[in-house]
Amino acid sequence: MAFYDLNVKIGHGIKLPSAASIYTAEACAVLAALEYIEYSNVEKWIIVTDSMSVLEALSNPCHNAKTNYIIFQIKEKYHKLCNMGRDIILFWTPSHVGVVGNEEADTLAKLITNTSDVVPVKKIKISYTDCSTLLKELMKKKWLDHWQESIQTKGKWYHQINHGIGKPWFTKGTYKNRKFYSYISRLRIGHGRFNEHLHRMNMITSPSCSFCNQANQSLHHIFFECSIFSLQRLILIEDLLQVYKEPEVIPRSLPDLLKNENCFVALYKFLVTTKEEI
């Protein structure tokens, strides 16, 4: 965190705890600039910042439990200085547009960040929002570590499709119907009403394909091998060409197809015209 006084051409900065967010650092910079103004004899000031989010928070008269506590400190300090006769304007500028003071402050802040062994860390309270973000990252890391350990014994099919944590696929795009989401979810986890899986669960006596009786009825067999579905497979290829454009780039495995959400409708269409349920 740093600020720069163009009048005397001197910069000031401090290092914040690693848990502090960029937003907190930007708010601290504004607060530090106000504290600097308090001990100056100059009455008129313009504080230029590239943090639109901080300025919006300061201009918002309504706050809640999620409001960063530094925003309250800035407001308190600002009103105190105004009562002391200081004329202070908070001004926004786009970042990295050649504003001398802004560029100097950014350079100083980066220098402080990269010299962690020299510059002491200022002890500040970590805000609720920063703590929440930190905890989410820690939980995500712990979950990923557990995920990497567990795939050695289970979940290998799903791991071929998804390697991390992200926004759920079903929150994207437009809603279709319940069956669509049910079928795609079952394909992604590799569990469903196909004979190979049902036999593994001891629910039926044979894993053989009930349509062609030529191989085990796995998901791969249904989509790529079963001779009964040759015509529907041609239609599937035509639908996939709308996504991949060239035949040679179409994936030859179901997990690879399931990595691309644009393939979901084509895969669903194939299921309802062949197996009918999964």
Side-chain angles (χ1 to χ4, degrees):
M1 180 281 296
F3 66 92
Y4 187 82
D5 185 349
L6 274 175
N7 187 39
V8 296
K9 300 189 183 307
I10 293 178
H12 302 266
I14 55 174
K15 184 174 178 61
L16 300 178
S18 58
S21 65
I22 295 176
Y23 177 84
T24 294
E26 291 168 338
C28 282
V30 174
L31 179 60
L34 291 173
E35 292 171 344
Y36 175 81
I37 291 172
E38 186 175 6
Y39 295 99
S40 171
N41 294 325
V42 180
E43 293 186 355
K44 293 186 177 182
W45 292 87
I46 297 178
I47 298 178
V48 181
T49 176
D50 58 16
S51 177
M52 176 64 76
S53 55
V54 170
L55 294 181
E56 288 177 343
L58 291 171
S59 63
N60 188 355
C62 301
H63 301 291
N64 53 45
K66 293 184 178 180
T67 302
N68 194 307
Y69 74 94
I70 300 175
I71 297 298
F72 296 101
Q73 293 184 349
I74 293 174
K75 286 190 172 185
E76 183 179 7
K77 181 67 68 175
Y78 177 84
H79 290 304
K80 177 183 177 181
L81 292 174
C82 288
N83 292 332
M84 292 171 58
R86 300 289 196 275
D87 185 3
I88 305 171
I89 297 175
L90 296 174
F91 186 83
W92 176 78
T93 182
S95 59
H96 308 295
V97 291
V99 178
V100 178
N102 188 45
E103 296 291 342
E104 294 290 345
D106 284 345
T107 301
L108 179 57
K110 291 177 182 177
L111 178 63
I112 292 172
T113 302
N114 295 329
T115 55
S116 57
D117 296 335
V118 179
V119 180
V121 177
K122 181 180 179 180
K123 293 182 179 180
I124 64 169
K125 295 179 180 179
I126 303 300
S127 70
Y128 158 79
T129 50
D130 290 357
C131 286
S132 176
T133 301
L134 179 62
L135 288 173
K136 287 179 181 178
E137 289 299 319
L138 290 174
M139 292 171 62
K140 180 178 179 181
K141 183 180 183 304
K142 187 173 182 180
W143 188 93
L144 286 173
D145 291 342
H146 173 71
W147 171 241
Q148 293 300 322
E149 293 177 3
S150 64
I151 61 172
Q152 305 302 321
T153 56
K154 57 183 178 180
K156 293 182 179 181
W157 173 271
Y158 181 68
H159 188 258
Q160 296 180 72
I161 302 167
N162 186 31
H163 299 291
I165 302 175
K167 190 175 182 181
W169 69 269
F170 48 80
T171 63
K172 306 172 186 178
T174 56
Y175 180 82
K176 293 177 175 54
N177 57 62
R178 184 179 181 277
K179 183 184 289 187
F180 171 80
Y181 292 106
S182 176
Y183 282 16
I184 298 301
S185 294
R186 291 173 183 173
L187 289 178
R188 282 166 56 86
I189 63 175
H191 295 177
R193 298 174 185 173
F194 53 97
N195 291 355
E196 186 179 73
H197 179 68
L198 294 176
H199 177 71
R200 193 184 309 128
M201 301 293 291
N202 295 320
M203 298 179 68
I204 59 175
T205 57
S206 173
S208 298
C209 179
S210 52
F211 295 100
C212 67
N213 293 314
Q214 296 176 353
N216 288 351
Q217 192 184 75
S218 64
L219 288 175
H220 180 83
H221 175 77
I222 294 171
F223 278 90
F224 296 98
E225 297 175 348
C226 187
S227 58
I228 303 299
F229 302 141
S230 297
L231 178 61
Q232 293 91 332
R233 196 169 292 115
L234 290 175
I235 298 174
L236 172 62
I237 294 173
E238 289 294 326
D239 291 339
L240 292 176
L241 281 173
Q242 301 300 314
V243 178
Y244 292 98
K245 307 306 180 183
E246 299 294 336
E248 58 271 14
V249 299
I250 298 177
R252 273 26 179 201
S253 73
L254 187 56
D256 287 338
L257 288 172
L258 288 167
K259 292 177 183 178
N260 189 342
E261 295 169 11
N262 295 322
C263 297
F264 288 177
V265 173
L267 296 176
Y268 170 74
K269 179 180 175 182
F270 177 83
L271 280 176
V272 296
T273 56
T274 55
K275 184 72 168 58
E276 295 184 356
E277 61 181 10
I278 194 70

